Amino acid sequence: MTAARQSAAKRIRELRETINEHNYRYYVLDAPRIPDAEYDRLYRELQRLEAAHPELVTPDSPTQRVGGQPAAEFPTVRHAVPMLSIRTETDTGAGGAGNFDARVRRELGLTAADPPVQYAVELKFDGLAISLRYEHGLLTRAATRGDGEVGEDVTLNVRTIRQIPLRLRSRGPPALLEVRGEVYMRRDAFERLNARQREEGGKTFVNPRNAAAGAVRQLNPATTAQRPLSFFAYGVGETHGWPKAPATHGELLDALQRFGVPVCDERAVVEGAEGLVAFYRDVGARRDRLPFDIDGVVYKVNSLELQRQLGFVTREPRWAVAHKYPAQEQLTRILDIEVQVGRTGKLTPVARLEPVFVGGVTISNATLHNEDFIRAMGARIGDTVIVRRAGDVIPEVVAVLAERRPGDAREFVMPTVCPVCGSEAVREQGEVDVRCSGGLFCPAQRKQAILHFASRRAIDIEGLGEKLVDQLVDSERVRFLPDLYTLTVAELAGLDRMGEKSARNLFDALERSKQTTLARFIYSLGIRHVGEATARDLALHFGKLDAVMAAAEEQLAEVPDVGPVVAASIHRFFAQAHNREVVAKLRKRGVHWTEGEAERTARESLAGKTFVLTGTLSSMTREEATERLQALGAKVAGSVSKKTSYVVVGADPGSKAARAAELGIPALDEAALANMLAGRD
Ligand code: IVH
């Protein structure tokens, strides 16, 4: 062996050991010790060395997880020790645990005088059973359960699951160790996967179990590698040559954990029926907060010797039982599909369901998100569907049983007008949601519209927050925006948590807000797609509100940065009589601004000036400063050049400040900037 090759071999060994250690900390302990970038660097170094020395590549190298060609089918595997199933207790009360303990005691010939039996208790994971074969510590085969006797060889797929060690962490592993456990998918990973599938127009999965099972049985390992799978061990199959064989199930799981195999920490050793019931209740109360689905807990006689004595009946061990929780999926029927209007005007179709008990609560509604979702699902009114409620995820329709569709099932049609206010409901190009266009008028959006109107960057009514708006709208005192300007001090003082003084302050703030600018006023109307910048551009371009209101779509589209979608939205807004009425009433009640040329000059006081910002400002964000400078006609640039007029220097400035000083460009501190923005220079 050459010296170069020897040193490469040594480095490769080191890298594999380090990477395996980090994999273990990251995937099994969930406690990474190095940043991802550092891990990537090590991984790439190993890849480079292995590419230069292909003869040094071994199957347990961390670079060799994804490999092999797509298969036409999976080879079969005969399990030397069959993969059994377990009896299920469906009595979801304490009875389930009591039955099992009584049976075990009877079969062991114990009497009331004997001490309680010790049980290992664990979760019943909802995934796919897998057997992992380790020979002298090396993962040589992974197989599905199949019919319990004969399964499928899914080694190439299982090797892509980062949590599963390719080599056990042990200097003296058993000569043969078959680890039995469950491949599953975490809920967050499942949600992300489905979101991605939806985005890419692929098929979504009904639940994490189906997603996990489907991923393991992919014929192309590269596809499996893309699916975020996890694994928990819960037992063993064939073993031999185990230097310190465990005596109890608890010890067995501890040993597997020491080998670097993931074992769930939610496990315990308890005594007697009471211990079982306590575990069942404790886990049941926390079930929704677990990061993965379970459908129950599993009780196992802890002593492996007693397990042998108890033996099996047909295909089920007498020493174990699964104790189920109420199901998180149920069949029910869509009675109707109604449309709800949210605070922001979004129309959401909601399925009215025949009430059904699922995941511990009775459900009679489930969101159907939008019309595309309904179409993709193929759901009709009258259909039988699977609803799912797991964790704190809101109830969802996850599948339609088309074969049970009744003859009178009806297709859902999205309304073209808002069901709350009758305004036009619009689905814009490239969007999935349909929205009500009656923002100012629609009762569903009233609170949102007022809060937006009152916000600091809009008309700016200091002190008018959510709680007050709730009271004003709920009491019907404010039905539409102009009502705000008819409120009296006495009325305001009558609201909850309002003293005479704060009522007076709010009244004054309302009065002050009447003096505004055209740009602010346009922005405050909450026209869809019209943010501050667009409002400013409209004010500058048209000069007068009447001109904006009268403009045709083509004229609106002449404004810089206003495209056809925005132009259509503005036009639609002012085309509606009730919106024009709100505008007229607001003006009648005293809201005013300077129109025409004066506005234009005031607005353009910084025209032709270029600013560069550096460091942190304390009274506003950089984005705000940028917008406000632009509002006055200034340009804001990212880097200093000879063309820069001013550099604004905040705390901890970057190199831009130094560069500006070199070029002799005047620097402004925050106070000077504030003066300039306020027109006091
Ligand atoms: S023990 C001999 N423990 O449930 C006992 N099984 O019917 C073998 N399962 O598909 C099974 N969590 O994959 C056991 N903590 C757990 C389990 C568990 C889930 C699955 C298993 C099998 C089914 C048993």
Side-chain angles (χ1 to χ4, degrees):
M1 209 192 264
T2 65
R5 182 152 161 232
Q6 239 168 15
S7 90
K10 176 158 174 276
R11 181 65 185 148
I12 285 179
R13 264 198 313 278
E14 279 169 12
L15 284 167
R16 285 182 189 158
E17 222 165 276
T18 315
I19 291 171
N20 279 336
E21 186 60 27
H22 289 308
N23 272 345
Y24 174 70
R25 304 200 118 265
Y26 187 91
Y27 291 107
V28 182
L29 302 183
D30 204 8
R33 199 170 264 165
I34 54 166
D36 290 0
E38 176 63 12
Y39 176 89
D40 292 344
R41 201 184 58 72
L42 295 169
Y43 192 87
R44 278 196 303 271
E45 186 186 346
L46 178 59
Q47 275 181 321
R48 261 198 314 274
L49 279 173
E50 287 181 341
H53 302 275
E55 72 286 0
L56 297 177
V57 177
T58 57
D60 64 327
S61 170
T63 60
Q64 302 301 303
R65 284 200 174 262
V66 189
Q69 293 300 310
E73 60 180 295
F74 298 108
T76 55
V77 169
R78 178 163 289 278
H79 301 295
V81 174
M83 291 181 78
L84 303 171
S85 54
I86 31 184
R87 255 176 60 87
T88 302
E89 265 311 331
T90 44
D91 172 349
T92 53
N99 292 347
F100 174 61
D101 181 56
R103 218 167 36 238
V104 166
R105 292 184 72 86
R106 193 172 58 243
E107 275 154 8
L108 288 174
L110 301 178
T111 67
D114 290 300
V117 176
Q118 240 189 22
Y119 296 103
V121 291
E122 55 201 49
L123 307 182
K124 185 160 192 298
F125 311 109
D126 209 2
L128 180 74
I130 287 286
S131 182
L132 306 173
R133 188 177 172 93
Y134 288 92
E135 295 176 33
H136 301 286
L138 211 63
L139 176 66
T140 54
R141 198 182 67 197
T144 62
R145 175 165 177 266
D147 63 6
E149 301 283 346
V150 176
E152 288 173 320
D153 183 334
V154 288
T155 313
L156 292 178
N157 290 347
V158 167
R159 285 174 61 91
T160 68
I161 304 173
R162 296 287 199 286
Q163 277 200 328
I164 295 181
L166 297 178
R167 175 186 285 284
L168 298 178
R169 289 165 60 87
S170 165
R171 299 233 172 269
L176 174 65
L177 175 67
E178 264 183 22
V179 175
R180 300 258 162 105
E182 197 93 347
V183 171
Y184 68 96
M185 196 178 284
R186 288 171 55 105
R187 279 185 199 138
D188 52 358
F190 167 76
E191 297 293 336
R192 275 199 302 274
L193 173 65
N194 259 357
R196 199 172 73 204
Q197 294 288 110
R198 257 192 291 274
E199 244 164 54
E200 294 170 1
K203 94 175 190 41
T204 55
F205 299 94
V206 169
N207 54 37
R209 175 168 33 86
N210 286 8
V216 171
R217 301 198 64 261
Q218 280 293 325
L219 289 168
N220 185 355
T223 310
T224 312
Q226 301 299 313
R227 303 278 160 83
L229 297 172
S230 302
F231 177 82
F232 278 136
Y234 52 64
V236 294
E238 197 183 3
T239 67
H240 67 83
W242 192 331
K244 273 190 273 166
T248 64
H249 186 75
E251 285 170 26
L252 172 82
L253 295 184
D254 292 346
L256 293 181
Q257 196 161 37
R258 281 196 301 275
F259 287 149
V261 176
V263 180
C264 184
D265 285 329
E266 296 279 353
R267 65 178 193 273
V269 174
V270 302
E271 296 205 329
E274 279 115 81
L276 300 179
V277 172
F279 184 73
Y280 180 77
R281 296 220 165 111
D282 171 47
V283 171
R286 291 180 303 112
R287 178 190 189 193
D288 278 358
R289 296 194 295 275
L290 292 173
F292 45 83
D293 279 3
I294 58 168
D295 55 356
V297 290
V298 179
Y299 310 139
K300 296 173 182 172
V301 171
N302 196 29
S303 154
L304 299 183
E305 175 49 34
L306 290 183
Q307 286 189 8
R308 268 187 291 274
Q309 283 181 34
L310 284 161
F312 304 87
V313 250
T314 57
R315 315 209 47 79
E316 292 168 353
R318 285 202 189 86
W319 46 265
V321 76
H323 193 183
K324 293 245 182 179
Y325 291 116
Q328 291 178 318
E329 279 173 18
Q330 290 292 356
L331 287 185
T332 186
R333 235 163 49 82
I334 299 184
L335 302 175
D336 198 2
I337 298 178
E338 287 171 12
V339 174
Q340 282 179 355
V341 186
R343 284 169 65 92
T344 60
K346 183 185 162 206
L347 270 58
T348 306
V350 176
R352 299 278 168 242
L353 305 170
E354 208 157 79
V356 59
F357 190 71
V358 43
V361 294
T362 299
I363 288 177
S364 41
N365 308 305
T367 175
L368 293 170
H369 303 290
N370 53 57
E371 50 181 340
D372 287 3
F373 180 88
I374 298 178
R375 191 161 322 116
M377 194 69 72
R380 301 207 187 147
I381 299 163
D383 267 342
T384 298
V385 292
I386 299 174
V387 289
R388 174 179 160 82
R389 180 188 171 272
D392 33 25
V393 182
I394 48 170
E396 275 216 290
V397 172
V398 292
V400 172
L401 276 70
E403 64 278 12
R404 296 216 200 163
R405 174 166 296 155
D408 61 350
R410 277 182 298 131
E411 198 126 7
F412 167 76
V413 188
M414 198 71 179
T416 54
V417 296
C418 170
V420 174
C421 74
S423 300
E424 195 185 345
V426 203
R427 177 171 177 178
E428 284 174 359
Q429 206 186 331
E431 301 214 349
V432 288
D433 292 327
V434 173
R435 293 177 175 278
C436 162
S437 64
L440 280 185
F441 170 74
C442 181
Q445 298 169 73
R446 215 170 261 167
K447 289 178 181 174
Q448 186 85 346
I450 296 173
L451 279 169
H452 172 77
F453 181 79
S455 66
R456 198 165 54 83
R457 315 292 290 275
I459 218 82
D460 189 15
I461 306 171
E462 203 184 328
L464 186 60
E466 209 159 329
K467 296 233 166 65
L468 287 175
V469 170
D470 282 349
Q471 289 185 62
L472 291 170
V473 172
D474 294 344
S475 66
E476 306 225 316
R477 177 55 188 85
V478 174
R479 281 172 205 260
F480 81 143
L481 277 179
D483 293 344
L484 284 173
Y485 293 107
T486 61
L487 291 163
T488 63
V489 177
E491 273 178 314
L492 289 171
L495 297 173
D496 273 359
R497 268 175 288 180
M498 274 295 252
E500 186 69 35
K501 182 144 186 284
S502 18
R504 166 59 62 188
N505 286 344
L506 181 54
F507 183 81
D508 290 345
L510 277 158
E511 285 301 304
R512 268 199 312 277
S513 72
K514 289 179 181 171
Q515 155 129 38
T516 185
T517 66
L518 177 55
R520 271 180 185 267
F521 184 75
I522 294 174
Y523 172 62
S524 73
L525 295 175
I527 306 167
R528 184 145 171 83
H529 301 303
V530 179
E532 272 183 283
T534 307
R536 202 170 52 233
D537 290 345
L538 289 167
L540 267 178
H541 185 90
F542 290 99
K544 288 181 178 221
L545 183 64
D546 291 342
V548 182
M549 291 176 66
E553 275 185 55
E554 305 79 67
Q555 291 169 309
L556 289 161
E558 280 166 17
V559 177
D561 292 331
V562 171
V565 171
V566 183
S569 165
I570 300 166
H571 188 259
R572 195 181 306 119
F573 182 91
F574 288 117
Q576 304 196 35
H578 49 76
N579 289 337
R580 286 200 305 275
E581 191 191 330
V582 168
V583 169
K585 273 264 165 58
L586 284 169
R587 296 181 88 169
K588 198 164 149 221
R589 304 230 158 112
V591 177
H592 66 281
W593 54 87
T594 326
E595 284 212 316
E597 280 310 303
E599 153 108 354
R600 201 175 292 220
T601 357
R603 305 258 89 193
E604 290 188 334
S605 60
L606 293 179
K609 302 270 194 293
T610 300
F611 288 71
V612 170
L613 306 172
T614 178
T616 313
L617 302 175
S618 60
S619 61
M620 59 188 114
T621 65
R622 261 207 230 182
E623 290 71 48
E624 279 176 75
T626 303
E627 282 180 25
R628 293 181 58 186
L629 284 165
Q630 285 171 343
L632 297 174
K635 268 210 194 107
V636 178
S639 60
V640 176
S641 74
K642 272 184 290 186
K643 291 194 193 128
T644 309
S645 325
Y646 298 100
V647 57
V648 177
V649 182
D652 300 321
S655 60
K656 289 178 204 165
R659 169 109 177 101
E662 259 169 47
L663 293 176
I665 290 163
L668 299 177
D669 61 11
E670 194 164 345
L673 172 68
N675 281 338
M676 208 173 258
L677 289 173
R680 297 182 295 250
D681 35 14

